Amino acid sequence: MKTNYKIFRTIRMMLFAATVLAGFTACETDSVEREGGKLPDKDGIENVYGILRCSSSCENIVDMILTEGNGFLVNGVYFEQTKPVSENVSIQLQIDESVIEAYNTLTGEERALLPESNYEFMEGNTLEISANGKQSPLKRIKFLAEGLAAGEYVLPISIGEQEQGNILRDNIIYFNITIREPFVGDYPLDQAKFYPEEGEDNATEPILMVFYINTKDYDPRLVTDFYLTKKKRRPSQELWTRAVGNIINLRTVVLKYDEASGRALLDLGADMTYVLSHASTYIWPLQETERKVCLSLEGGGTGLGFCNLSDEQIADFVAQVKTVVETYNLDGINLWDRNSGYGKEGMPETNTTSYPKLIKAMREALGSDRLLTVTDHEEPTEYFWDTEATGGIEVGQYLDYAWSGYNNGNEVTQICDPWHPDDVEVSKYTHKPFAGLDPAKYGCINSPWYKGTDPSSLIDRKHIYRWRAAGNKQSQILVFQDLMTRLQNEYEATGQSYGEVCLYFADDGKTGTSILAYSNNYTDVTSNLMFLPDGTIGYGKWLKDW
C-alpha cells in the first residue's frame, strides 16, 4: 500500500479551481457517459493519503500577530492519514526555505524567513503514528517576538522524505508571522489606581474614568483621541495633559434566548465579532496604553435576561462568556441589564435571585485578575441591598465596581448617591447601597452628552460641585455615555464636553466658598478628532471601517 502526501487547501486549491473551471468550459458540448457497472480504479482504492495539519486552522496558511518585544504565541501541527498504518511511522518536520520566493510571488507579499532563534519545537520535530493509528499526537511550536524588528515573516514547515515519498512540497504549512509596533499614545494615561492600598486616601487619587463605545458605529480606537488638560488659572499655566479612559466597555453584546435548545446564548453580533477577530488592530492599542478593555453585556429583547435565568442557563451562559474573555484576552465584563424585554408570553417571570447568582458565577469564572462591574439601573438592581431577596448573596462582595446607569440627555446630569439620598440636590433616581459594596467602588455620576441647542439650565453642572463640597462624594469614579466622534449633527456645537464635569467633580477642581472662586481648571482636549487619518480637517474620524 502506498501513501500519497497531498494537500487540498488554500494555494493548491486556487490552481485546481482554475483548472476545473477551464475544463468545464472546454467540455460544454461533450456527451455525458451514461453506462453503468464500471468499477472504480483499483489504484485509487489502495492509495493512502496523508496531510499535515495545523491545530488552529483548516487552511495551510496560518496568520499570527505578535507585538515587538518579548511576547510569544504557541501553535501546533499533526499528521493525519486516511487509513491506519500497519506499523509505527516517524515523520520529520523540516523548515523548507526553498519555497519562500515562490510563495511571495504567489501571495504578492515580501516575507522573510523567521529566524531560527524565534521558533522552537517544544516536543521535538518528529511526528509519530503508532501501528493501527491514523493520526500523530500534536507537536507544539512556540513563536517568539524577542529581538525581531517590526515586519512580515514566514515559517514554512513541511514533512521530510519518507520511504513512500511522493509530492512532499504539497504538504507545507505556512506560518505567517506579523511583528507589529506597540501603540504609544501622545500622552500618558491619567492613572487611577484600581485597587488603592489600605490606608490610602482616595481623595488624592486621579479620576477613574469609565467610557462606553458602541462598535455598531465606532472603531474602539476613538478613545485614544480623548485627553484631559489641567490648567492653573492664576497665574495662567498649563500643568499637564493626560490621556483618559481607564475602563473601556465595548458594546453591543447581548444575551438572547434560543427557542430550539432553551439556552441563553451570548450573541456577539457582527460588529463585535469583527472587532474581536482583529484584536491586534482594535483592542491591543487600548490595552498597550494601560486601559482595561471589557465587554458590556445587555439584554437582547427576547424576554430572557439576567433576572429570569435558570441555574442551568446561568452556568451555560457564564461558560460562553469565559471562553470569549480568555480567547481574546479581555480585561473583564460589565453587566447592564437593559433591553431584555421581560414579560413576553411564554418566558419565565423575573425573580430576585437570578441576577445575583449570575454575578457570583461570573466572578468565580473570571477569577480575581479580571474586572467584573455592574451598572445600577432601574428594577434589575434596585433590590441588591436586600440579602434576603438575593438568596443570601452579598452582590457587592463579588464586584470590582458598580456605577449609575442614569444618563438621559434630556435631564440635568443625575447624581445617584445611595449613601446620601436626602442630601443630593438633583436626583430623580435613588437606590439603596448594594450589600457588601464599598462606597469607594461606586460611581454616582454617569454623564450624558448635551445638544448644542439645549438650554443652559439643562447642561449646568454646578450641583455636582455643591454635592462634592458637602462631603458626599466617596469615590473617584466618573462614567460617561457612549463616546462620539466629531460629526455634523446636533452635538457638533458642544462636542464631547466632559471637561466641565471633571472641573466640578475633581477634588482639586473648582474650590473656595463661592462657586465662581477657583484656582484650577479642567478642559477636554479632543482637537485630534478634527483631523482625519489623511491629515485633513473633517468629520467622522473613527467611524467603523469594516
Side-chain angles (χ1 to χ4, degrees):
M1 184 181 295
K2 60 183 179 180
T3 300
N4 292 311
Y5 297 98
K6 293 188 176 181
I7 192 161
F8 303 96
R9 294 172 287 179
T10 311
I11 295 178
R12 190 63 57 177
M13 281 300 295
M14 290 190 291
L15 301 176
F16 176 72
T19 304
V20 170
L21 184 59
F24 275 124
T25 304
C27 301
E28 257 182 354
T29 58
D30 290 352
S31 60
V32 179
E33 185 176 353
R34 297 179 180 274
E35 293 179 13
K38 285 189 175 182
L39 294 174
D41 181 69
K42 182 179 179 182
D43 185 63
I45 295 176
E46 293 181 349
N47 282 345
V48 176
Y49 296 95
I51 190 169
L52 185 64
R53 295 187 181 277
C54 173
S55 60
S56 65
S57 175
C58 60
E59 304 293 341
N60 71 321
I61 295 180
V62 182
D63 294 316
M64 297 190 294
I65 300 175
L66 284 165
T67 302
E68 194 174 12
N70 297 317
F72 68 89
L73 290 172
V74 175
N75 220 314
V77 297
Y78 62 95
F79 193 80
E80 185 175 32
Q81 294 203 156
T82 55
K83 291 185 178 180
V85 296
S86 57
E87 56 186 21
N88 294 344
V89 172
S90 294
I91 301 171
Q92 298 299 313
L93 295 172
Q94 62 183 22
I95 308 305
D96 197 345
E97 184 177 357
S98 66
V99 302
I100 292 182
E101 183 177 352
Y103 175 71
N104 282 338
T105 300
L106 182 62
T107 61
E109 299 175 335
E110 288 296 330
R111 292 185 176 271
L113 178 68
L114 187 69
E116 187 174 351
S117 59
N118 290 98
Y119 64 87
E120 173 191 343
F121 290 98
M122 299 176 70
E123 294 92 19
N125 67 335
T126 301
L127 301 177
E128 297 179 343
I129 305 177
S130 301
N132 301 317
K134 295 195 299 182
Q135 180 177 313
S136 72
L138 184 73
K139 294 291 185 178
R140 294 179 300 162
I141 307 166
K142 188 175 185 178
F143 299 87
L144 303 99
E146 186 174 1
L148 276 183
E152 307 290 334
Y153 302 85
V154 62
L155 188 69
I157 296 181
S158 68
I159 56 175
E161 290 285 347
Q162 308 299 312
E163 291 182 4
Q164 311 98 319
N166 248 300
I167 313 175
L168 294 178
R169 285 188 182 276
D170 286 349
N171 247 318
I172 301 177
I173 294 178
Y174 299 87
F175 287 99
N176 287 345
I177 313 297
T178 297
I179 304 295
R180 61 182 284 277
E181 295 179 352
F183 177 79
V184 179
D186 297 323
Y187 302 98
L189 184 67
D190 195 23
Q191 281 282 36
K193 292 184 180 179
F194 284 90
Y195 304 100
E197 296 179 8
E198 186 176 355
E200 281 190 325
D201 183 2
N202 275 348
T204 65
E205 296 297 326
I207 299 171
L208 192 157
M209 285 197 198
V210 180
F211 291 154
Y212 285 82
I213 296 179
N214 193 338
T215 58
K216 176 179 177 292
D217 301 309
Y218 291 112
D219 180 327
R221 291 175 295 177
L222 168 62
V223 71
T224 62
D225 271 349
F226 281 78
Y227 308 102
L228 190 67
T229 294
K230 183 180 179 183
K231 297 178 180 179
K232 189 174 183 179
R233 299 284 294 206
R234 296 184 182 88
S236 179
Q237 178 186 1
E238 182 173 313
L239 301 176
W240 47 253
T241 296
R242 295 174 185 164
V244 290
N246 307 93
I247 300 176
I248 311 302
N249 291 314
L250 301 182
R251 51 184 301 266
T252 303
V253 177
V254 301
L255 180 155
K256 284 197 171 179
Y257 176 67
D258 181 62
E259 188 174 352
S261 64
R263 296 177 64 195
L265 296 181
L266 181 70
D267 185 357
L268 296 173
D271 294 302
M272 189 65 72
T273 298
Y274 187 89
V275 167
L276 294 178
S277 299
H278 298 81
S280 60
T281 299
Y282 300 110
I283 294 178
W284 292 5
L286 277 60
Q287 294 174 320
E288 286 165 352
T289 50
E290 301 187 76
R291 294 176 169 97
K292 302 292 184 181
V293 180
C294 305
L295 289 187
S296 183
L297 309 186
E298 306 175 14
T302 60
L304 187 71
F306 304 160
C307 293
N308 61 350
L309 296 169
S310 68
D311 291 350
E312 292 76 14
Q313 288 171 328
I314 289 174
D316 182 13
F317 183 71
V318 167
Q320 296 171 57
V321 173
K322 180 181 180 182
T323 297
V324 170
V325 169
E326 292 181 346
T327 299
Y328 299 103
N329 195 29
L330 299 169
D331 296 299
I333 291 296
N334 169 242
L335 298 173
W336 189 339
D337 194 347
R338 55 177 171 175
N339 306 319
S340 293
Y342 294 123
K344 290 185 182 292
E345 185 177 353
M347 301 305 294
E349 293 184 0
T350 59
N351 61 76
T352 59
T353 58
S354 171
Y355 201 172
K357 286 180 179 179
L358 173 65
I359 291 169
K360 182 175 183 291
M362 195 74 74
R363 165 54 72 206
E364 292 169 349
L366 296 178
S368 59
D369 295 333
R370 288 187 165 93
L371 295 176
L372 179 59
T373 63
V374 163
T375 303
D376 187 14
H377 191 234
E378 298 182 345
E379 292 86 353
T381 56
E382 67 179 2
Y383 56 88
F384 280 8
W385 63 275
D386 185 357
T387 54
E388 185 175 342
T390 60
I393 296 175
E394 286 189 275
V395 171
Q397 293 288 336
Y398 299 95
L399 299 177
D400 292 293
Y401 300 104
W403 47 73
S404 166
Y406 298 101
N407 55 13
N408 189 334
N410 296 315
E411 303 172 336
V412 295
T413 303
Q414 295 297 304
I415 305 174
C416 183
D417 184 351
W419 287 270
H420 305 95
D422 298 329
D423 297 335
V424 175
E425 181 179 350
V426 179
S427 182
K428 294 170 60 175
Y429 312 99
T430 56
H431 283 197
K432 293 184 178 181
F434 288 6
L437 183 67
D438 184 342
K441 295 184 176 183
Y442 186 91
C444 298
I445 298 174
N446 191 324
S447 180
W449 305 129
Y450 294 104
K451 302 173 185 178
T453 56
D454 287 336
S456 59
S457 60
L458 190 62
I459 63 176
D460 185 6
R461 282 133 171 173
K462 294 185 180 69
H463 63 286
I464 297 176
Y465 168 79
R466 289 190 285 269
W467 168 75
R468 170 171 67 87
N472 292 329
K473 190 181 78 165
Q474 300 182 75
S475 84
Q476 299 292 351
I477 303 168
L478 190 56
V479 186
F480 290 85
Q481 195 175 3
D482 291 359
L483 292 188
M484 296 182 292
T485 189
R486 186 170 182 264
L487 297 173
Q488 218 167 2
N489 60 11
E490 62 269 32
Y491 293 96
E492 179 183 10
T494 54
Q496 290 71 42
S497 182
Y498 57 80
E500 187 180 40
V501 182
C502 297
L503 175 62
Y504 288 114
F505 181 83
D507 294 322
D508 55 353
K510 284 184 179 289
T511 59
T513 57
S514 169
I515 192 63
L516 298 178
Y518 55 91
S519 58
N520 297 320
N521 191 16
Y522 283 84
T523 59
D524 48 334
V525 181
T526 57
S527 58
N528 279 0
L529 291 175
M530 298 174 61
F531 295 94
L532 302 180
D534 62 2
T536 60
I537 295 178
Y539 297 92
K541 186 180 183 183
W542 299 123
L543 288 174
K544 70 178 186 181
D545 59 0
W546 56 88

